[in-house]
Amino acid sequence: MSKDFLNDIIQPENLVYKKTELMTDNTLSYCPGCGHGTAHRIIMEVIEELGLAEDTIGVAPVGCSVLAYDFMNIDMQQAAHGRAPAVATGIKRCFPDKIVFTYQGDGDLAAIGTAETIHAVNRGENFVIIFVNNGIYGMTGGQMAPTTLPGMKSSTSPYGRDVDMMGAPLKITELMAQLPGAYFVTRQAVHTPAHVRKTKKALKMAFKNQMEKKGGISFIEIVSNCNSGWKMSPVQANQWMVENMFPFYPLGDIKVDSELINKECLTVDLKGQ
Amino acid sequence: MGELKLMKGNEAIAEAAIREGVDAYFGYPITPQSEVIEYLMAEKPHERTGMVVLQAESEVAAINMVYGAAGAGKKVMTSSSSPGISLKMEGVSYMAGAELPAVLLNVVRGGPGLGTIQPSQADYFQAVKGGGHGDYKMIVLAPASVQEMADFVELSFDLAFKYLTPVMILSDGVIGQMMEKVEVKEHKPRMTDEELIKRSPWATVGKPKERERNVISSLNLDSHIQEEHNHKLIAKYKEIQEKEVRCEFIDCEDAEYVIVAYGSSARIAQKSLQLLKEKGIKAGLIRPITLFPFPKKEINEIAAKVKGILSVEMNTGQMIEDVKLAVEGKVPVSHYGRFGGVIHSPQEVADALDQKIKGGFKDE
Ligand SMILES: Cc1ncc(C[n+]2csc(CCOP(=O)(O)OP(=O)(O)O)c2C)c(N)n1
Ligand code: SF4
Ligand SMILES: [Mg+2]
């Protein structure tokens, strides 16, 4: 394709989609096909659309998204592994009128940072937690996470997760929903345009809750893929996610406006699949 | 001026923090320092000055709350005692790496492990050699009175913001628990948002259109950039070493032997000087007020004029290593101290030095 041809196309009248200015021009460090990039983009779009860019501070702990501050064009703090909810608490308590969010992986939020997560939610801190659950430790090379499915292979469960030895995958989102400090709890995905739209809507509600000081955490789980860690192609990974992750981590709102609207998910046999 | 009060060291530091205009305190209870958060909670500093006080779910959470608030430019502190300080060390290392100012108090108790709840100086190494992982230091101040517990709040924050580094007040169960007369300063107003941004333009307070985003991070994936960052930190520590040494000399002018002791050991050793005089021994006391930076030059100069130096510490011998480095072999250096929560008496210290002199004062 010649350059002239491209220049002909790149005209204002042909513009159908524009990257939000709240994403920097830095090349994303994520593997092609990974859900992290999409999640970043829609968070930033929501912040832009709500006009919150100048008042928002993001906190990204260790995980594949540790470099989120390279991509999100707002003030950011990089936190120690698992500690983002405590870091966010420190910021939000000192600046109750600013907008604060954390962006955490499943290893981060549901293993090493379980205490910080539960207690931030239980205190009803008024910030947004975005929880990207890919059932694995992506960053460190695909080790087992607390969310790894029964029988699922990882580099530290090479014969598949043995529930008798390791316990069942931790449905931490369902746990969070039961805490009075949780105001809005939902589980979403970003693997199709329709799901992206739904997740964006949920994010918007979450940030609005915070703006309106609704009193409590808005907790958004995004069930995502890790094609590298799962050792699959992006397409296979998404398919595997739909077939295996979604039955165990069903999508949808769990708690809205402080009210548990999906009580059923709480009675699911946590060991079963 | 200020106000005279009779207070425990732990209470004095809490009151001083409110008056200093500290923005936030995050802590977790542990003996012998729980009075800090208890006092703060009882005083309702939120009503007095707008200061935030929060009991965290752990020391790990508390130090990370400090990290967040410090990263947003706030004047923030925490306190704990030895086992809790160990838990905070990951966070302190991150703060040293990210160059965040904050103040942390360690009211030291005996260890290792759960150890005892009684006073000790067993955390010297942890405090002055970094404590957490990585190549870093923090400024360490050693109060020897309730008055200094109060006064060091302002000094610590001044140093923390001047050098963008965590500062530790290394106290112990004696100083934390004992009651003394203390003059607390008048209230300083807390920083306004405008003052905060002026003082800390790097703070994450929300990015206005006209500036680049602010990022608080200790991560450098490129090893060469990390090395550069380490160089920057070393230069900072060097400057601190050159400019910020504080120490006190007592009866050192014509002393034949000198005791080096900090904190409550220095208070005890000061009494020993009188007892030694009665024994006919001319002894002086050097009291390091800053443990990092260590008064290396000051001790070295005195070493040239005396016959021996005794490092008196409530531990099995930690500061003695820094004293020896300072003395550069000019005279023998020995250690005396009770530990495990046992406090040496002025008489024990005097007798120990007396015995060592009789035995020909040898290097240890
Ligand atoms: C204290 C500490 N322990 C371990 C690590 C190593 N580590 C970095 S990221 C990570 C797991 C990340 O997994 P997850 O949170 O699920 O994020 P993902 O990469 O999958 O998005 C681990 C174990 C660390 N950085 N710090
Ligand atoms: S390792 Fe997994 S989670 Fe990390 S960027 Fe690659 S696909 Fe995404
Ligand atoms: Mg993960």
Side-chain angles (χ1 to χ4, degrees):
Chain A
M1 223 180 279
S2 82
K3 217 173 169 193
D4 286 348
F5 175 73
L6 276 180
N7 285 339
D8 280 348
I9 295 177
I10 304 172
Q11 296 296 338
E13 62 271 23
N14 291 334
L15 186 72
V16 285
Y17 174 79
K18 194 167 161 269
K19 175 175 77 75
T20 161
E21 288 186 0
L22 297 188
M23 285 295 283
T24 65
D25 289 332
N26 294 333
T27 310
L28 288 176
S29 53
Y30 304 112
C31 309
C34 174
H36 273 306
T38 314
H40 281 23
R41 172 173 62 80
I42 56 176
I43 294 166
M44 289 298 111
E45 284 176 0
V46 164
I47 290 172
E48 183 176 49
E49 286 161 24
L50 294 174
L52 298 174
E54 299 195 18
D55 292 311
T56 303
I57 300 126
V59 183
V62 192
C64 274
S65 48
V66 68
L67 288 175
Y69 60 74
D70 268 353
F71 314 127
M72 297 180 173
N73 196 10
I74 55 169
D75 279 2
M76 295 285 295
Q77 291 200 21
Q78 189 269 309
H81 192 21
R83 317 301 173 208
V87 171
T89 298
I91 303 170
K92 187 72 187 187
R93 290 281 174 145
C94 287
F95 281 113
D97 296 330
K98 304 270 176 191
I99 299 297
V100 178
F101 72 91
T102 70
Y103 184 98
Q104 306 174 250
D106 45 328
D108 188 88
L109 182 141
I112 193 167
T114 315
E116 284 77 7
T117 304
I118 289 184
H119 286 281
V121 175
N122 196 51
R123 283 191 302 265
E125 299 291 344
N126 185 32
F127 55 75
V128 175
I129 292 181
I130 297 147
F131 165 40
V132 179
N133 176 10
N134 54 14
I136 205 160
Y137 287 7
M139 187 194 208
T140 37
Q143 295 84 7
M144 183 178 61
T147 45
T148 299
L149 295 181
M152 182 175 164
K153 287 183 182 167
S154 74
S155 67
T156 53
S157 57
Y159 308 107
R161 182 187 185 122
D162 177 352
V163 170
D164 288 338
M165 180 167 84
M166 285 313 304
L170 183 57
K171 294 196 172 196
I172 198 153
T173 303
E174 277 79 353
L175 283 176
M176 293 305 119
Q178 295 174 67
L179 301 176
Y183 185 79
F184 172 46
V185 179
T186 187
R187 185 183 279 125
Q188 303 291 337
V190 291
H191 62 303
T192 69
H195 285 92
V196 167
R197 274 195 296 276
K198 271 195 191 162
T199 307
K200 206 173 147 179
K201 215 171 128 199
L203 283 164
K204 210 166 236 178
M205 178 164 347
F207 279 93
K208 271 193 179 154
N209 289 341
Q210 185 176 176
M211 287 163 77
E212 290 161 16
K213 299 201 167 125
K214 284 286 173 58
I217 291 256
S218 291
F219 188 100
I220 300 181
E221 174 177 341
I222 299 174
V223 182
S224 191
N225 58 6
C226 174
N227 37 289
S228 292
W230 297 355
K231 313 236 178 296
M232 295 176 197
S233 71
V235 174
Q236 281 173 333
N238 280 344
Q239 200 175 337
W240 193 89
M241 176 175 75
V242 172
E243 286 166 10
N244 298 277
M245 296 279 280
F246 290 177
F248 198 86
Y249 300 111
L251 306 187
D253 293 342
I254 298 173
K255 196 176 190 182
V256 177
D257 292 341
S258 275
E259 203 183 317
L260 270 174
I261 59 163
N262 182 359
K263 292 204 176 81
E264 212 175 296
C265 71
L266 305 181
T267 57
V268 167
D269 171 15
L270 290 178
K271 276 203 159 184
Q273 204 206 343
Chain B
M1 272 289 289
E3 213 180 312
L4 276 183
K5 289 178 178 272
L6 179 68
M7 294 183 120
K8 283 187 173 194
N10 288 337
E11 295 166 344
I13 201 167
E15 178 63 29
I18 300 171
R19 288 168 183 253
E20 171 63 19
V22 170
D23 294 306
Y25 168 96
F26 302 101
Y28 186 84
I30 181 171
T31 308
Q33 66 78 52
S34 297
E35 292 85 358
V36 178
I37 187 167
E38 285 169 353
Y39 184 92
L40 286 172
M41 286 296 184
E43 277 299 308
K44 298 187 180 167
H46 202 263
E47 288 174 16
R48 276 177 63 182
T49 66
M51 176 183 179
V52 171
V53 182
L54 187 66
Q55 181 171 331
E57 61 272 29
S58 69
E59 289 86 352
V60 177
I63 194 69
N64 283 285
M65 291 173 186
V66 168
Y67 178 101
K74 292 288 184 178
K75 232 166 149 175
V76 54
M77 66 183 282
T78 182
S79 67
S80 188
S81 177
S82 311
I85 293 290
S86 290
L87 280 180
K88 287 185 196 290
M89 279 303 160
E90 181 201 40
V92 173
S93 168
Y94 272 67
M95 294 182 79
E99 299 193 85
L100 293 182
V103 174
L104 71 155
L105 165 70
N106 184 0
V107 183
V108 182
R109 56 191 252 180
L114 198 51
T116 67
I117 58 169
Q118 281 82 16
S120 164
Q121 295 182 318
D123 297 353
Y124 177 87
F125 279 149
Q126 185 194 47
V128 306
K129 307 296 178 191
H133 60 284
D135 257 338
Y136 79 93
K137 299 270 193 188
M138 50 184 166
I139 296 175
V140 182
L141 297 169
S145 62
V146 172
Q147 186 64 55
E148 284 189 339
M149 282 285 262
D151 293 346
F152 285 2
V153 173
E154 181 182 32
L155 176 60
S156 301
F157 275 106
D158 287 351
L159 292 169
F161 275 89
K162 182 171 176 196
Y163 293 102
L164 297 182
T165 174
V167 173
M168 177 180 275
I169 300 177
L170 188 69
S171 179
D172 64 59
V174 177
I175 309 290
Q177 292 294 328
M178 73 181 181
M179 291 185 96
E180 282 188 315
K181 186 178 77 177
V182 54
E183 187 185 334
V184 283
K185 297 201 171 94
E186 271 171 35
H187 282 87
K188 267 192 210 172
R190 285 177 47 241
M191 271 185 292
T192 62
D193 286 359
E194 292 71 36
E195 285 165 346
L196 182 154
I197 291 164
K198 198 158 169 248
R199 182 178 202 172
S200 307
W202 44 264
T204 55
V205 292
K207 173 194 168 308
K209 280 207 177 62
E210 48 301 345
R211 76 153 159 78
E212 289 288 296
R213 68 189 184 284
N214 282 340
V215 172
I216 304 298
S217 170
S218 60
L219 173 70
N220 295 298
L221 284 174
D222 180 333
S223 55
H224 293 96
I225 295 177
Q226 179 62 42
E227 190 185 38
E228 242 170 66
H229 183 57
N230 287 124
H231 274 301
K232 184 181 169 206
L233 293 180
I234 293 168
K236 171 158 82 179
Y237 303 142
K238 205 162 159 247
E239 188 187 343
I240 290 170
Q241 251 155 335
E242 278 159 13
K243 294 188 185 158
E244 304 299 346
V245 170
R246 286 164 174 81
C247 75
E248 187 185 6
F249 304 94
I250 298 165
D251 297 346
C252 287
E253 300 78 34
D254 57 347
E256 293 185 342
Y257 292 90
V258 158
I259 293 172
V260 183
Y262 69 91
S264 47
S265 272
R267 281 291 281 274
I268 295 162
Q270 199 175 339
K271 281 258 180 241
S272 312
L273 297 185
Q274 189 57 37
L275 300 171
L276 285 160
K277 201 180 249 174
E278 285 162 20
K279 288 178 194 271
I281 297 168
K282 282 185 184 169
L285 172 68
I286 304 177
R287 176 171 81 93
I289 294 169
T290 50
L291 296 175
F292 179 82
F294 194 68
K296 212 172 160 179
K297 197 169 70 129
E298 290 74 5
I299 292 175
N300 185 280
E301 279 166 14
I302 286 189
K305 302 181 212 154
V306 298
K307 295 178 180 166
I309 293 184
L310 185 67
S311 183
V312 175
E313 319 162 52
M314 291 193 301
N315 58 41
T316 57
Q318 299 188 17
M319 182 178 66
I320 184 175
E321 293 190 5
D322 288 332
V323 175
K324 281 192 172 195
L325 285 172
V327 168
E328 291 176 319
K330 284 184 179 156
V331 284
V333 179
S334 188
H335 168 266
Y336 177 75
R338 302 291 300 269
F339 33 83
V342 181
I343 307 165
H344 34 245
S345 68
Q347 191 67 52
E348 283 174 313
V349 174
D351 290 349
L353 181 54
D354 188 23
Q355 285 303 313
K356 282 174 195 272
I357 293 170
K358 285 184 176 133
F361 204 92
K362 294 188 198 76
D363 204 52
E364 223 173 71

